[in-house]
Amino acid sequence: MNFADSEVVGSILAVAGYGLTETIEEADFVLINTCAIRDNAEQRVRHRVRELRALQNRRAHLRVGILGCMAERLQDRLMAEEDNLSFVCGPDAYRRLPDLLRQVREGQKAAEVELSTTETYADIEPVRLGSNGITAYISIMRGCQNYCAYCVVPYTRGRERSRDPQTIVDEARTLFEQGYREVTLLGQNVNSYRWTVDGGSTVGFPELMDRVASISPLLRVRFATSHPKDLSDELLQVMASHPNICRCIHLPVQSGSDRMLKLMNRKYTVEWYLDRVAAIRRYLPDCSITTDVIAGFSTETEEDHQATLELFRTVRYDYAYMFKYSLREGTYAWRHLADDIDDAEKTRRLNEIIALQGQIALENNRQEVGREYEVLVEGESHRSKERLFGRNSQNKVLVFDRKDAVAGTYRRVRVTDCTAATLLGELV
Ligand code: 5AD
Ligand code: SF4
């Protein structure tokens, strides 16, 4: 999401006459787009800001600013605490950046942190930053109002709002015409995407997917993130009817214990979640499923933790993002629930989940050996110029000998070997 936002910022600033530099040493402004979801993300940003002091000593006019969720969360406090910062700008205020930079050039400090109920940057054609020219992100909605008890996002990104579907389809079509072959539609909870057309009819996420997937069978479509409470059979049916909608669903579970899910305000039970997993497997037998999980939320017992491990054994995810619970100021949990699992215990539980998931991912990958997939070739493998990498529909990375394959095209690849993270293969 931040990556997509930075591309919007790049576009707003390009229109105002600013350009990107090749290296940080040439820059007049450094803008750091930030995440506030866990404390360690914020600490890394603070570290980066402090590191920039040395460069500012050499380049006296260099100004540093913070964009995104940390700016929204901390506002002026951030500039008071980090005295080499000149500006902060929240996620709904990027159109104000040219004005903000003008004030900063005049020697002022400036903050723009107003949230909006309507801003979607729908009319802004993002500049593609560091693009491979093959895959791109398209933001389809902003904000979130699910208020999961642990989560700061509703406070930093504001109310949920959807973007005009026509602008989304147009952006995807333009990308396709420019040679892009994969778009990922982004939102905090894409299943609640809803746009009301003049006259009152509405476009929901399944219809939006249908429209984007109909642009061309050669354009792959992915999406993230689905909230399990809202994943509908209708969406799965639309996916099943378009082979170019990728067979990969990110379905954050957060915990395998009903008691934790209730305390987290997730609005589903393990039974509901497993029913959604069964529905995915029914409509899309070859679909990969990935997740997010939090270890050590308030009052989590060993029994709750074991329930999470059990759920992982049941679902057998292809990939998981695994986190230790981090208390965030302003959230429901911060107001009402103790952060009472000590850090060593959180780490132990997290490491158990990581070890189990690593084993499952490896076992899943071993089953892939011998299978053939259509792979969208993305570029050279990091390890060797002789090898290329790409992804299959399930979003698994395949690495294979280059031969005559070219980035931006589809090739059939047979899996010959694997690690827990990568499939190795050969062109068919
Ligand atoms: N602590 C730890 N992980 C968190 N997430 C969100 N808030 C927190 C928090 N306070 C995780 C959730 C979410 C992912 C994007 O980040 O798993 O799905
Ligand atoms: Fe945070 Fe929950 Fe919204 Fe996801 S759905 S952004 S975890 S509040």
Side-chain angles (χ1 to χ4, degrees):
M1 191 69 87
N2 268 354
F3 190 85
D5 275 8
S6 293
E7 296 187 325
V8 165
V9 167
S11 173
I12 290 169
L13 290 178
V15 171
Y18 293 92
L20 289 163
T21 63
E22 291 279 323
T23 67
I24 202 165
E25 279 77 20
E26 304 164 78
D28 301 314
F29 290 101
V30 174
L31 289 75
I32 305 176
N33 200 352
T34 59
C35 176
I37 205 148
R38 284 172 294 276
D39 186 60
N40 57 5
E42 291 205 1
Q43 293 314 321
R44 272 162 60 195
V45 170
R46 289 193 184 251
H47 197 76
R48 188 75 61 86
V49 168
R50 287 171 202 160
E51 267 177 7
L52 283 167
R53 284 225 174 97
L55 186 59
Q56 285 178 295
N57 289 339
R58 280 181 276 133
R59 291 174 65 81
H61 68 285
L62 173 64
R63 297 287 174 265
V64 179
I66 295 278
L67 311 180
C69 288
M70 260 181 97
E72 194 61 49
R73 193 175 90 70
L74 297 163
Q75 310 195 349
D76 293 341
R77 229 161 91 192
L78 196 51
M79 286 191 287
E81 287 165 8
E82 308 294 339
D83 60 11
N84 59 323
L85 279 181
S86 299
F87 58 102
V88 298
C89 184
D92 286 345
Y94 296 147
R95 288 182 203 267
R96 305 270 303 134
L97 268 172
D99 205 42
L100 230 149
L101 295 194
R102 187 184 46 71
Q103 290 172 44
V104 169
R105 282 161 64 172
E106 287 165 0
Q108 303 168 35
K109 291 207 167 194
E112 286 286 351
V113 292
E114 190 149 354
L115 287 173
S116 157
T117 54
T118 53
E119 179 65 273
T120 59
Y121 303 110
D123 55 315
I124 291 173
E125 195 183 322
V127 297
R128 302 294 162 183
L129 297 173
S131 169
N132 58 8
I134 301 164
T135 60
Y137 292 114
I138 301 181
S139 173
I140 65 163
M141 59 199 297
R142 302 182 71 79
C144 180
Q145 56 213 44
N146 286 309
Y147 292 98
C148 299
Y150 50 80
C151 184
V152 77
V153 168
Y155 308 92
T156 60
R157 297 187 81 96
R159 303 290 290 174
E160 184 180 288
R161 69 219 92 122
S162 297
R163 174 177 169 189
D164 181 341
Q166 195 55 48
T167 67
I168 296 167
V169 174
D170 289 346
E171 186 173 330
R173 185 175 293 113
T174 303
L175 285 165
F176 180 69
E177 284 162 1
Q178 290 168 350
Y180 285 80
R181 289 296 172 262
E182 184 181 296
V183 293
T184 303
L185 308 189
L186 294 177
Q188 246 74 35
N189 176 11
V190 291
N191 302 107
S192 62
Y193 175 90
R194 187 150 296 278
W195 177 262
T196 306
V197 190
D198 300 337
S201 68
T202 59
V203 177
F205 188 60
E207 185 180 341
L208 177 71
M209 283 299 279
D210 182 63
R211 285 170 64 178
V212 176
S214 300
I215 291 172
S216 165
L218 289 177
L219 181 68
R220 276 184 174 178
V221 189
R222 299 188 187 279
F223 60 95
T225 294
S226 283
H227 195 304
K229 76 179 164 69
D230 298 322
L231 180 71
S232 67
D233 283 38
E234 189 192 355
L235 175 67
L236 299 174
Q237 284 157 4
V238 168
M239 290 179 73
S241 70
H242 288 280
N244 57 323
I245 300 181
C246 289
R247 281 12 185 175
C248 174
I249 295 184
H250 186 58
L251 204 62
V253 71
Q254 313 300 1
S255 170
S257 150
D258 282 339
R259 193 180 70 84
M260 285 291 104
L261 291 172
K262 186 144 183 42
L263 211 54
M264 288 172 163
N265 192 31
R266 288 292 287 176
K267 303 184 184 89
Y268 56 83
T269 58
V270 171
E271 188 187 356
W272 170 274
Y273 186 91
L274 291 176
D275 172 74
R276 295 295 76 207
V277 168
I280 294 170
R281 302 240 153 99
R282 194 160 62 238
Y283 288 106
L284 307 162
D286 59 345
C287 191
S288 67
I289 302 178
T290 62
T291 204
D292 294 347
V293 68
I294 299 176
F297 185 59
S298 179
T299 74
E300 187 187 68
T301 61
E302 180 60 26
E303 197 185 338
D304 296 317
H305 169 60
Q306 290 298 330
T308 296
L309 295 173
E310 191 51 34
L311 180 93
F312 269 57
R313 286 188 205 102
T314 305
V315 180
R316 298 186 63 79
Y317 295 107
D318 291 284
Y319 191 84
Y321 297 91
M322 299 163 277
F323 310 108
K324 274 198 282 191
Y325 172 51
S326 167
L327 180 69
R328 309 311 289 140
E329 191 181 329
T331 59
Y332 178 90
W334 179 79
R335 279 179 279 131
H336 300 290
L337 305 172
D339 183 12
D340 55 358
I341 310 302
D342 71 40
D343 194 62
E345 181 60 15
K346 283 181 189 171
T347 303
R348 183 190 69 78
R349 293 181 191 175
L350 176 66
N351 286 340
E352 266 183 37
I353 303 172
I354 292 173
L356 172 63
Q357 178 51 32
Q359 193 189 326
I360 291 169
L362 182 60
E363 287 166 10
N364 285 350
N365 277 355
R366 285 204 179 118
Q367 304 224 308
E368 303 279 14
V369 174
R371 292 187 188 149
E372 269 180 46
Y373 286 107
E374 181 170 77
V375 168
L376 175 58
V377 185
E378 287 184 38
E380 264 169 23
S381 138
H382 304 299
R383 299 251 178 87
S384 153
K385 279 192 181 342
E386 297 313 306
R387 300 169 111 194
L388 297 177
F389 81 96
R391 278 164 218 273
N392 63 9
S393 177
Q394 289 73 9
N395 211 24
K396 288 198 176 171
V397 174
L398 283 97
V399 176
F400 49 91
D401 280 345
R402 170 188 295 268
K403 300 210 174 126
D404 61 339
V406 198
T409 61
Y410 292 99
R411 293 297 299 259
R412 285 199 76 76
V413 177
R414 184 185 306 112
V415 181
T416 53
D417 200 359
C418 71
T419 66
T422 314
L423 300 176
L424 307 172
E426 58 193 17
L427 287 166
V428 176

